């Protein structure tokens, strides 16, 4: 029996799939869901049979934000004590690539969750926004930071200050998402994309993910130093020897993750 009440988990080849499962509340992120999601991500991360993770909602909503009804009566002290947003940071520690497959509403904490993933596959119906201004607050789970880095200051200001939403097409144009797929196929496409990456050399995928994410968090000089160190370190792996030998011998490489 599944240990979860607000999410569903499955595996598809070497990809772990996590579905947010509060459809009546448009997958609003309550405290239980956030905890279960982080536990499921950590479990897939620890499973050697899994090489990538896809995170999705349903066709109508990826997630319509943090659960407003759960947090409406919080005070600064109670919300600080619960610090319910802090678990979001655990996504940053997941070593395997995490792809968000987004359809329908992707708002507030939902958009912040999608942006915490490494890539986003969007259905044609996806709508992205940070509507917290309508509630008299601002984004609290990285929205002002990740969104600005992704789409630039001008558009981020409009989204955060004036509830500007982005269509899937606009999100692609401004660099928020990787690709757009018809609604009937977006999850299938995200799983195929994830399995493609999961079949690659695991250590190189892990280090590549870390290095690209580092570009968001560091000054250029630090990021470059870190990237170079990871590149040199990979020469200690069997996969580097196998990958380069296979190229020279004109054959497919067989990855061991060692
Ligand atoms: N929290 C709690 N419940 C939510 C919710 C949310 N974020 N979003 C939707 N729901 C619930 C609705 O209350 C409704 O429940 P009932 O049937 O029990 O009334 C159900 O989901 C369906 O929603 P609607 O009837 O409103 O559906 P709609 O199609 O008319 O509208 C919508 C869709 C435009 C997304 C609208 O639901 C909406 O505006 N939702 C709120 C979006 C929002 O403000 N998100 C930001 C939250 S704050 C945040 O995320 C802070 C942060 O940075 C961490």
């Amino acid at each position: 029996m599944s240990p979860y009440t607000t999410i569903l988990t499955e595996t598809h080849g070497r990809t772990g799939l996590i579905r947010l499962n509060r459809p009546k509340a448009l997958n609003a992120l309550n405290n239980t869901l956030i905890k279960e999601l982080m536990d499921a991500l950590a479990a897939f991360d620890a499973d050697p049979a899994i090489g990538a993770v896809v995170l999705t909602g349903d066709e109508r909503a990826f997630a319509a934000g943090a659960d407003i009804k759960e947090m409406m009566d919080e005070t600064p002290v109670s919300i600080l004590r619960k610090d319910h947003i802090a678990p979001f940071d655990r996504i940053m520690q997941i070593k395997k690539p995490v792809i968000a497959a987004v359809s329908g509403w992707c708002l507030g904490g939902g958009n912040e969750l999608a942006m915490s993933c490494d890539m986003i596959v969007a259905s044609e119906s996806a709508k992205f926004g940070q509507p917290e201004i309508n509630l008299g607050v601002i984004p609290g789970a990285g929205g002002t930071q990740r969104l600005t880095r992704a789409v630039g200051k001008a558009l981020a200001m409009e989204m955060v200050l004036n509830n500007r939403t982005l269509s899937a097409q606009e999100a692609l144009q401004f660099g928020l998402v990787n690709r757009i797929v018809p609604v009937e196929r977006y999850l299938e496409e995200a799983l195929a994309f994830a399995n493609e990456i999961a079949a690659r050399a695991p250590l190189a995928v892990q280090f590549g993910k870390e290095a690209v994410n580092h570009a968001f968090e560091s000054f250029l000089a630090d990021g470059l130093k870190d990237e170079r160190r990871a590149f040199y370190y990979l020469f200690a792996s069997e996969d580097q020897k196998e990958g380069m030998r296979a190229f020279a011998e004109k054959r497919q490489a067989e990855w061991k993750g060692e």
Side-chain angles (χ1 to χ4, degrees), residues 29-248:
L29 310 169
N30 65 9
N31 292 332
T32 307
L33 185 147
I34 292 172
K35 179 176 183 314
E36 291 186 351
L37 170 60
M38 297 308 149
D39 289 351
L41 279 169
F44 279 137
D45 206 30
D47 182 347
I50 294 296
V53 178
V54 169
L55 175 59
T56 196
D58 53 47
E59 272 184 32
R60 190 169 168 217
F62 176 72
D67 192 315
I68 300 166
K69 294 166 191 169
E70 192 179 63
M71 71 184 165
M72 59 196 284
D73 295 322
E74 298 286 2
T75 66
V77 172
S78 66
I79 200 164
L80 195 73
R81 278 218 181 103
K82 285 180 194 154
D83 202 7
H84 68 285
I85 294 170
F88 266 68
D89 296 344
R90 280 167 58 195
I91 300 188
M92 299 304 290
Q93 271 111 53
I94 303 297
K95 296 188 181 70
K96 294 167 187 171
V98 183
I99 297 175
V102 173
S103 184
W105 298 112
C106 186
L107 300 177
N111 193 38
E112 292 169 306
L113 178 60
M115 291 190 296
S116 300
C117 297
D118 302 307
M119 284 172 275
I120 302 178
V121 171
S123 92
E124 282 165 340
S125 77
K127 285 177 283 292
F128 301 86
Q130 297 291 156
E132 288 88 346
I133 195 79
N134 292 345
L135 302 168
V137 292
I138 65 167
T144 60
Q145 305 302 298
R146 291 199 178 93
L147 185 67
T148 308
R149 284 166 165 83
V151 305
K153 176 179 167 181
L155 195 52
M157 282 288 185
E158 278 196 57
M159 293 175 74
V160 172
L161 305 190
N162 204 26
N163 189 29
R164 160 92 141 90
T165 52
L166 299 184
S167 66
Q169 205 55 52
E170 287 174 314
L172 183 69
Q173 183 189 336
F174 295 117
L176 188 62
V177 309
N178 293 72
R179 50 180 90 168
I180 306 176
V181 186
V183 180
E184 315 79 67
R185 286 198 295 105
Y186 76 98
L187 184 55
E188 192 186 315
E189 175 96 4
L191 287 167
F193 188 21
N195 270 319
E196 217 176 288
I197 297 169
R200 298 188 180 280
L203 288 174
V205 168
Q206 179 187 328
F207 280 37
K209 163 178 165 149
E210 273 175 24
V212 173
N213 278 332
H214 202 133
F216 275 96
E217 293 158 12
S218 60
F219 292 112
L220 182 62
D222 293 337
L224 289 174
K225 212 184 288 166
D226 241 53
E227 179 195 63
R228 191 172 312 146
R229 221 176 279 141
F231 178 73
Y232 293 156
Y233 183 78
L234 282 169
F235 281 73
S237 72
E238 283 185 35
D239 281 350
Q240 174 270 327
K241 307 274 174 291
E242 166 66 5
M244 296 195 178
R245 235 177 256 139
F247 173 80

